[in-house]
Amino acid sequence: MSGSGLEFYLTTLLVYGGIDVIACLGLNQQFGVAGVTNFGYIIFQAAGAYTAAVLSLPKDSANGGFQSYIAGLSLPFPVPWIAGAVVGAVLAVPFTFLVGKRLRGDFAAIGLLVAAVMANLLVTNYRPFLNGDAGLALIPAPLNSTMDSQSLGYQWGYSGVAVILAAATYWFCRRLTESPYGRTLRAMRDNDVVADSLGKNLRLLRAEMLVIGGAIAGLSGAVLVGFITLWAPSAWGYAETIVLFAAVIIGGAGNHLGAILGAVLVPLGFEEATRFIPSFGPPGLIPALQWVAIGILIVAFLWFRPEGIIPERRRTSREVGDAQPPETPRPHQPSPRAASRAGNEPEEARSAAADPVVLEARVISRSFGGVHAVADVSIALRRGHLTGLIGPNGAGKSTTLAMLAGTLPVSSGSIWLEGRDITSLPAYRRARLGLIRTFQLASEFKRLTVLENLLSAVPAQAGEQLGGALLGRRHWAADEAKNVAEAREMLDRFGLSAQANAYAGDLSGGQRRLVEIMRALMARPSVLLLDEPMAGVHPKLANEIGEHLLHLCEEGMTIAVVEHELAYMDQFCDPVVVMAEGRVLAEGTMSELRRRTEVVEAYLVG
Ligand code: ADP
Ligand code: MG
């Protein structure tokens, strides 16, 4: 290879590398950080490329009319590139309805895959709009009227621009990901139902990710089409998306540096490696083997090293020194209410009826297929009370809690919060009104640290919206510091300071329960619904938590807790609601309930 030949080769590599890095960063932002699986990612790149092409091309009659396409505006650089990004973003908008339709993401993933397949079929078979499977050729290179696009100087210039755009994309994605907004995205990725219950608007977050990813993909397509001056639908098969997924997974999903490494190793590396392999076998064998190799690599990584080559970085808080000794929980004074409870129940019961109802379920039902999990249940939670909910397994306690919080819609009946009908409000809107729940099954955000789990719940954070994140650290640093201080205090109180920077997914079962309780409290609830919060928690600590909950009730919080331990109900809860077979069997203080044989039977038989 001559000197200039080598330079041509290197600059070409830089251009392709820059384009692949941009595309992989966009996909990593969607998939690695936010957990939005977009199997149609490639169509956004194709759309950006097409846009840039037809905006730089002259009218389609100019070259003897052998190609047909829309626009043909001969717009100057960089307008076609900007338009490519804009069209990528706009094209994502209709798909945001797909990601909003269901809480779970798999539905949207399949929908986007289908869209990508259909888009390619449409493009290939519908000539007037996009020139069919012939695609477009003779696309003017940017600035080709003032510069010789075949010169070495042009090559270096183009590769410089590609690298700068890749760096800018990295900077942009980092700014989003390393903000409270990014933490919310990662929380959504780890457990979307729980993020929803903490007041995160999943529809909006996913829509923003699709639009931003669409813009980034569109930009990468525009840069590509300006360089190769060709656009062909055969290059945008839906399977090309898999190559980018392979890059992100192998490099390290969730880590933008990993995405960059993956871009260099997979799309670029594979293309270049085959260039140097002597050809063998029938034509088409080597490209086919490439696909096999990429498939095997994806499976191998998902199996042996799912975190990729450069795993997602653990975000430790600098303020939280690891040297801190594990704190023992602050002892709680028995609350006056708990003290007065002993032997004074009738009076307690009377006072219970006097406090205002904060959250009320009016004859709610829920069936799953033919199973009536909850049937005509009415429950009223009163301000300042720690209401207990007991009943055998399958009684409908968790389902009732889920309907109160909005995680599950009711089949019939209505839910009222402070005199307002909230039946049709989605869970995140109820959470923003102060109605917070925890889950019976482990629901920590696994790949967030304990501290991050707590911070994720804080409502209305300065850097939690897209706009706030884009404004940068200076915009949200002060608010963040305040929230970190509050979270540290909470960790202190529950004796988990030493684990502040550990991944929540690595804790013991009991510790994870504590994380969930702390996280719920960080959401500043006015009504708190706890589903078996003490399961697996040391009895002594469970006791202290009970005292703390009572203390919060005295300060005006309204709490309901599902528990199996009768002793726990005895000690802390008033009133206690007994459920069995989807219905409320009885309600009253524990000693009242003990006197009722049907309650004892239901509970003991269950
Ligand atoms: P509890 O919390 O009191 O143990 P649940 O509310 O979890 O009871 O369940 C009540 C009934 O509803 C059980 O019979 C259970 O099998 C059924 N159930 C709960 N969730 C679902 C679901 N998602 N699909 C089908 N059946 C369900
Ligand atoms: Mg349950």
Side-chain angles (χ1 to χ4, degrees), residues 90-107:
V90 171
L91 182 65
V93 171
F95 293 104
T96 61
F97 295 101
L98 212 59
V99 290
K101 184 130 172 73
R102 301 268 171 87
L103 216 51
R104 287 270 169 208
D106 36 10
F107 177 74

Side-chain angles (χ1 to χ4, degrees), residues 368 371-374 391-400 440 531-532 562:
F368 298 101
V371 182
H372 297 290
V374 172
N393 264 332
K397 307 178 297 291
S398 294
T399 307
T400 301
Q440 179 176 351
D531 200 347
E532 307 200 15
V562 175

Side-chain angles (χ1 to χ4, degrees), residues 316-384:
T316 53
S317 165
R318 256 170 273 124
E319 300 95 312
V320 184
D322 282 338
Q324 265 194 347
E327 302 245 350
T328 43
R330 223 179 276 162
H332 289 275
Q333 295 299 316
S335 68
R337 189 194 286 275
S340 74
R341 178 168 292 118
N344 203 9
E345 267 148 2
E347 207 171 271
E348 273 292 321
R350 268 201 306 279
S351 77
D355 289 311
V357 170
V358 178
L359 182 66
E360 191 183 3
R362 295 189 190 157
V363 280
I364 56 170
S365 302
R366 171 77 203 189
S367 35
F368 298 101
V371 182
H372 297 290
V374 172
D376 299 330
V377 162
S378 295
I379 287 182
L381 303 184
R382 291 177 183 280
R383 183 178 315 285

Side-chain angles (χ1 to χ4, degrees), residues 222-236:
V223 180
L224 179 61
V225 90
F227 191 68
I228 59 177
T229 68
L230 292 168
W231 185 90
S234 60
W236 314 112

